[in-house]
Amino acid sequence: EAQVTQNPRYLITVTGKKLTVTCSQNMNHEYMSWYRQDPGLGLRQIYYSMNVEVTDKGDVPEGYKVSRKEKRNFPLILESPSPNQTSLYFCASSFGTGLYEQYFGPGTRLTVT
Amino acid sequence: AQSVAQPEDQVNVAEGNPLTVKCTYSVSGNPYLFWYVQYPNRGLQFLLKYITGDNLVKGSYGFEAEFNKSQTSFHLKKPSALVSDSALYFCAVRDDSGGYQKVTFGTGTKLQVIP
């Protein structure tokens, strides 16, 4: 089954404790992206990747890092989480940019205390 | 720069009535426009997209959307609403001025279909 998986689905952590949210897709997609969803703000793009070793900032990249060492995986790293990073995070992938629709993972709800 | 506006936080419609969820956009280049739906505790699912050509686009679950270049709008429509259509709907845009790399979403519109 074609899918985007994220882990963990739920995470509660404390300020400053490094964490990684994993994202994996089995559709051989070139484009992958991370979003955060906050009430009243919709989805905002954090980082995206056009292909292996090619990443770029979205609209809200501060406090986040990403890497794309393999085509299928695109982890999101929070090196020193802060409470304002409490949010619902989604990973998405697509065949490419432009006209291609994105496939979304189930989401990761992160709480930073 | 690109932006998307969904002017209504919530739309209420009676079951069986037509529904419209509004979206307007602003881009520097030529846009590709998308609608996604989010059910509670789920990720977003693709509904339909406008690339080029016919301004009326048909998608999943009986939804359609009309692209209007002069009004920079891409409203989502359905002739007869179902209770199961109740969900959160997002409009999104990519434009060619940035190589279509970035994606911008609207703030979402909650659709409530009343039995």
Side-chain angles (χ1 to χ4, degrees), chain A residues 9 31 35 37 40-43 45 48 50 57-59 90 94 96-102 104-106, chain B residues 32 34 36 38 41-46 49 51 88 90 94 98-108:
Chain A
R9 293 290 311 279
Y31 185 94
Y35 299 89
Q37 182 179 8
L41 298 176
L43 271 77
Q45 193 170 34
Y48 61 90
M50 302 283 286
K57 297 176 181 178
D59 293 321
F90 288 101
S94 62
T97 60
L99 55 83
Y100 295 105
E101 64 272 17
Q102 293 179 85
F104 282 80
Chain B
Y32 290 155
F34 303 82
Y36 292 87
Q38 184 181 30
N41 301 313
R42 303 284 297 275
L44 280 71
Q45 298 176 30
F46 169 73
K49 62 186 175 184
I51 303 169
L88 188 56
F90 289 96
R94 278 172 149 159
Y100 295 112
Q101 295 180 25
K102 283 190 175 181
V103 184
T104 299
F105 281 82
T107 52

Side-chain angles (χ1 to χ4, degrees), chain A residues 98-112:
Chain A
L99 55 83
Y100 295 105
E101 64 272 17
Q102 293 179 85
Y103 293 74
F104 282 80
T108 295
R109 186 166 291 282
L110 173 65
T111 302
V112 184

Side-chain angles (χ1 to χ4, degrees), chain B residues 56-99:
Chain B
L56 185 63
V57 179
K58 294 189 184 298
S60 306
Y61 311 120
F63 283 93
E64 57 190 28
E66 187 168 9
F67 173 69
N68 187 317
K69 188 172 183 178
S70 63
Q71 297 186 5
T72 62
S73 67
F74 188 55
H75 300 332
L76 181 70
K77 300 182 180 185
K78 188 174 182 182
S80 178
L82 300 172
V83 172
S84 57
D85 293 330
S86 298
L88 188 56
Y89 290 82
F90 289 96
C91 183
V93 68
R94 278 172 149 159
D95 86 327
D96 61 1
S97 65

Side-chain angles (χ1 to χ4, degrees), chain A residues 56-112:
Chain A
D56 208 345
K57 297 176 181 178
D59 293 321
V60 288
E62 296 77 19
Y64 304 94
K65 285 178 58 177
V66 292
S67 68
R68 186 97 181 269
K69 294 183 176 10
E70 302 168 284
K71 197 171 187 178
R72 62 184 294 126
N73 297 323
F74 190 45
L76 179 69
I77 303 158
L78 285 71
E79 298 223 324
S80 184
S82 63
N84 64 12
Q85 293 178 298
T86 293
S87 187
L88 180 58
Y89 291 87
F90 288 101
C91 180
S93 72
S94 62
F95 281 108
T97 60
L99 55 83
Y100 295 105
E101 64 272 17
Q102 293 179 85
Y103 293 74
F104 282 80
T108 295
R109 186 166 291 282
L110 173 65
T111 302
V112 184

